[in-house]
């Protein structure tokens, strides 16, 4: 891997003024993959100044020209897809196929956002007065702070940066310290695509670096994806200081399995949604709400499937599930095993760190299924973010929907049923931001809005046309060509 890994500020690769560094290790092997700047307040200030300076030019660059840079970035990502995917696996652990999906999502989003360069439609509408023209146009916020987690190291930054750029913002990007390599790769791509200096700046670092960025008064908008706790902290700051804010936070998603469902199909959806990316997706199915008559059989089959998953290095083609991201995450999952047991849940399988067979130097956790789970237990309410799922039994559709909706998060629900009227009734009553019928909780596409209700966010959406509303604001324009003073609401 080609280092040195430096910050990227105003079109130049820069050593950190802080003179501090951190190392990232491969979570499957413990090997150090590189040393990255631990940026301080001065580095952040310099990056924000560069973004603020570049905005004065970038916002007046015609949107189709801005989009051309994005199209070139999309081509470069496509050409480098294999290596980019390998780097994702090496730095955060997910298996190579899923890492390739991460890169593909980044490419899809880049092209989709680039297409907006020639759309970004506003409205024209009649005025209530004669000889007067009325329209609305989008305008950028200014400097956007993009702060991201590690679980989709390429896709999530592209969700944010591509829309921010095409709408005319400039950005400072602060990736997670657990996925710095992909951030470095993305900036190399922007550089090669010909993005002008200062339009996107990269500062590596941890939570403190993120906090410096949020608190810089020249940052007009914060786009944050991460945990509920940090999101709420940032929201409080932005609320007090009048900053625009986009939040994408956690999930406690459920798959509802009714007794008339195709159970083979539901099983495939459950295994993929609960254990894909080692359960470390905001869209992971950490609750399986199963109708009583089929619950015991479904549980037995799920336990057999979970126990058979092959754990290992995600680069190995025979691996089904990679490690979790780091030691704190491993410890957090372990704590929830005790919390679940203390509350009266039963471990049907898993429940411990996975060791042996080359797993000892990585952060591997056994695929885990809790049974005897009641809906208000902590393991059924709180996001664990690991390969852990709960079986909760329900009596009927109404009961299932009530259980589903009664959590602090609201990202995804899926329901398996063969009954169309039940599917539509569920669709109407489920209160999450995303719903699947007869598919798992994973599988969002870039041209539909992505985000959730309640604690999952603050009402904004990534992706689709909805993202335009996050990264731009409306300007209403009135052009009076009557040559006289006309008074709206008064001259009638
Ligand atoms: P995290 O909240 O710990 O960190 C996210 C980012 O915020 C990191 O870059 C971190 O360095 C930074 N940060 C931490 N404290 C900060 C502060 N006080 N000020 C500014 N920045 C700060 O989350 P994580 O562990 O990296 O990611 C996992 C979480 O992300 C899970 O809760 C998951 O559900 C969520 N997530 C949500 C979505 C979504 O779209 N809803 C997608 C992926 C992940």
């Amino acid at each position: 891997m080609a280092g040195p890994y430096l910050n990227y500020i105003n079109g130049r690769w820069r050593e950190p003024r802080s003179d501090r560094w951190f190392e990232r290790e491969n979570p499957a092997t413990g090997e150090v993959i590189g040393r990255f700047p631990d940026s301080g307040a001065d580095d952040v200030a310099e990056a924000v100044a560069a973004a603020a300076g570049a905005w004065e030019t970038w916002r007046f660059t015609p949107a189709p020209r801005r989009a051309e840079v994005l199209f070139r970035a999309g081509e470069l990502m496509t050409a480098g897809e294999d290596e980019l995917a390998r780097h994702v696996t090496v730095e955060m652990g997910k298996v190579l196929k899923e890492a390739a999906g991460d890169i593909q999502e980044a490419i899809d989003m880049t092209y989709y956002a680039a297409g907006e360069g020639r759309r970004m439609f506003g409205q024209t509408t009649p005025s209530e007065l004669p000889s007067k023209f009325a329209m609305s146009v989008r305008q950028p916020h200014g400097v956007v702070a993009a702060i991201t987690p590690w679980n989709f190291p390429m896709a999530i930054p592209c969700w944010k940066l591509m829309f921010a750029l095409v709408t005319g913002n400039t950005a400072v990007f602060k990736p997670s310290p657990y996925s710095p390599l992909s951030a470095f790769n993305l900036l190399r791509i922007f550089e090669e695509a010909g993005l002008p200096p200062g339009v996107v700046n990269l500062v590596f670092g941890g939570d403190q670096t993120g906090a410096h960025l949020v608190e810089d008064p020249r940052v007009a908008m914060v786009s944050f994806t991460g945990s509920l706790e940090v999101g709420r902290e940032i929201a409080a700051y932005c609320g007090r200081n009048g900053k625009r804010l986009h939040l994408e936070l956690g999930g406690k998603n459920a798959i509802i399995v009714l007794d008339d469902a195709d159970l083979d199909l539901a099983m495939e959806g459950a295994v993929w949604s609960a254990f894909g990316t080692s359960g470390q997706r905001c869209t992971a199915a950490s609750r399986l709400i199963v109708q009583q008559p089929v619950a015991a059989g479904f549980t037995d089959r799920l336990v057999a499937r979970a126990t058979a998953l092959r754990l290992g290095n995600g680069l190995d083609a025979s691996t089904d599930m990679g490690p979790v991201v780091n030691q704190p995450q491993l410890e957090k999952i372990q704590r929830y095993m005790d919390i679940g047991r203390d509350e009266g849940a039963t471990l049907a399988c898993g429940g411990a760190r996975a060791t042996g067979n080359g797993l000892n130097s990585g952060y591997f956790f056994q695929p885990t299924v809790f049974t005897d789970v009641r809906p208000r237990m902590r393991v059924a309410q709180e996001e664990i973010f690991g390969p852990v799922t709960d079986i909760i039994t329900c009596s009927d559709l109404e009961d299932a929907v009530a259980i589903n909706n009664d959590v602090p998060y609201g990202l995804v629900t899926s329901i398996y049923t063969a009954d169309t009227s039940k599917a539509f009734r569920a669709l109407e009553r489920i209160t999450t931001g995303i719903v699947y019928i007869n598919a798992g909780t994973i599988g969002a596409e870039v041209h539909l809005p992505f985000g959730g209700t309640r604690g999952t966010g603050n009402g904004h959406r990534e992706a689709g046309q909805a993202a335009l509303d996050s990264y731009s604001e409306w300007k209403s324009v009135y052009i009076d060509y009557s040559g006289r003073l006309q008074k709206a609401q008064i001259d009638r």
Side-chain angles (χ1 to χ4, degrees):
M1 268 152 257
Y5 303 109
L6 304 175
N7 287 333
Y8 187 73
I9 298 176
N10 217 7
R12 287 175 50 218
W13 296 96
R14 306 277 287 272
E15 302 256 341
R17 286 181 183 273
S18 67
D19 207 22
R20 289 192 307 270
W21 301 81
F22 69 90
E23 286 182 341
R24 175 58 183 148
E25 58 184 350
N26 180 331
T29 63
E31 280 161 6
V32 171
I33 58 173
R35 187 181 85 133
F36 299 84
D38 180 12
S39 308
D42 289 350
D43 301 298
V44 171
E46 222 174 302
V48 177
W55 189 55
E56 294 306 333
T57 311
W58 185 247
R59 66 176 162 140
F60 299 120
T61 304
R65 297 280 93 77
R66 298 196 293 249
E68 282 168 12
V69 183
L70 271 56
F71 279 121
R72 282 198 292 277
E75 283 163 20
L76 291 165
M77 276 185 234
T78 307
E81 200 163 358
D82 290 348
E83 201 194 19
L84 293 171
R86 280 181 70 80
H87 285 188
V88 166
T89 296
V90 162
E91 70 177 348
M92 58 68 67
K94 68 171 95 169
V95 298
L96 203 48
K97 256 195 191 144
E98 292 180 32
D102 194 327
I103 307 304
Q104 189 57 50
E105 192 171 317
I107 294 167
D108 293 346
M109 187 58 85
T110 300
Y111 285 137
Y112 181 77
E116 284 306 319
R118 288 188 186 272
R119 283 191 296 266
M120 235 185 281
F121 302 128
Q123 298 120 19
T124 61
T125 180
S127 164
E128 66 182 51
L129 292 164
S131 301
K132 193 175 171 191
F133 183 87
M135 66 179 171
S136 61
V137 294
R138 292 186 182 275
Q139 60 183 331
H141 298 294
V143 178
V144 171
I147 302 178
T148 57
W150 43 265
N151 64 339
F152 279 85
M154 216 44 183
I156 292 178
C158 287
W159 290 5
K160 297 187 183 308
L161 293 172
M162 300 308 174
F163 268 99
L165 295 185
V166 80
T167 47
N169 302 281
T170 55
V172 178
F173 170 31
K174 206 298 286 175
S176 166
Y178 301 108
S179 58
L181 199 52
S182 295
F184 173 79
N185 289 339
L186 181 57
L187 266 289
R188 288 265 295 259
I189 287 167
F190 276 135
E191 187 183 31
E192 205 181 327
L195 193 70
V199 174
V200 176
N201 305 274
L202 168 66
V203 284
F204 290 106
D207 305 353
Q208 194 54 50
T209 311
H212 288 314
L213 182 55
V214 168
E215 290 168 17
D216 191 301
R218 294 162 296 182
V219 167
M221 178 201 175
V222 177
S223 179
F224 173 83
T225 299
S227 60
L228 177 69
E229 297 70 28
V230 176
R232 292 247 159 109
E233 225 176 277
I234 292 176
Y237 183 86
C238 290
R240 278 198 307 275
N241 291 277
K243 277 185 204 259
R244 300 289 179 266
L245 175 65
H246 176 135
L247 292 176
E248 292 291 338
L249 309 176
K252 192 70 189 176
N253 314 295
I255 295 180
I256 298 171
V257 183
L258 296 186
D259 60 4
D260 60 18
D262 177 337
L263 294 176
D264 293 339
L265 191 64
M267 182 56 56
E268 293 308 318
V271 172
W272 167 230
S273 306
F275 303 119
T277 318
S278 309
Q280 303 170 112
R281 288 182 182 234
C282 51
T283 54
S286 49
R287 297 181 298 155
L288 306 174
I289 304 171
V290 188
Q291 203 169 355
Q292 192 68 52
V294 295
F298 193 81
T299 304
D300 289 346
R301 285 179 66 190
L302 181 71
V303 166
R305 290 287 299 273
T307 318
L309 291 173
R310 285 166 306 215
L311 272 58
N313 189 328
L315 293 179
D316 179 343
S318 67
T319 298
D320 295 318
M321 197 180 95
V324 300
V325 72
N326 55 28
Q327 180 73 27
Q329 192 56 32
L330 196 67
E331 287 167 7
K332 178 182 173 189
I333 299 166
Q334 190 62 64
R335 278 199 301 279
Y336 273 100
M337 299 301 105
D338 300 332
I339 290 169
R341 270 189 298 242
D342 291 349
E343 287 178 310
T346 304
L347 273 171
C349 67
R353 184 175 187 161
T355 50
N357 288 334
L359 302 181
N360 291 355
S361 40
Y363 305 117
F364 291 91
F365 201 88
Q366 297 167 346
T368 298
V369 178
F370 271 122
T371 55
D372 301 319
V373 176
R374 289 188 309 279
R376 280 307 189 95
M377 287 180 174
R378 285 183 63 191
V379 288
Q381 291 281 321
E382 297 171 16
E383 186 184 53
I384 300 173
F385 226 53
V388 182
T389 196
D390 305 329
I391 301 267
I392 303 172
T393 55
C394 64
S395 52
D396 54 20
L397 174 64
E398 278 62 38
D399 189 28
V401 170
I403 294 168
N404 175 68
N405 291 346
D406 184 25
V407 287
Y409 297 99
L411 188 52
V412 193
T413 310
S414 93
I415 177 164
Y416 284 86
T417 176
D419 182 331
T420 310
S421 75
K422 283 184 181 164
F424 272 86
R425 282 223 306 280
L427 181 51
E428 213 171 52
R429 288 162 172 72
I430 286 166
T431 54
T432 50
I434 301 171
V435 179
Y436 293 93
I437 309 286
N438 291 329
T441 53
I442 294 175
E445 299 177 29
V446 302
H447 51 299
L448 277 82
F450 183 96
T453 58
R454 297 187 283 274
T456 294
N458 62 342
H460 290 290
R461 292 291 183 269
E462 301 267 28
Q465 291 293 294
L468 291 171
D469 291 329
S470 296
Y471 294 97
S472 67
E473 289 196 73
W474 287 110
K475 186 187 312 196
S476 298
V477 182
Y478 302 96
I479 302 158
D480 191 325
Y481 53 96
S482 68
R484 60 198 153 83
L485 174 66
Q486 300 199 87
K487 300 181 188 125
Q489 292 89 38
I490 294 172
D491 294 351
R492 300 175 62 87

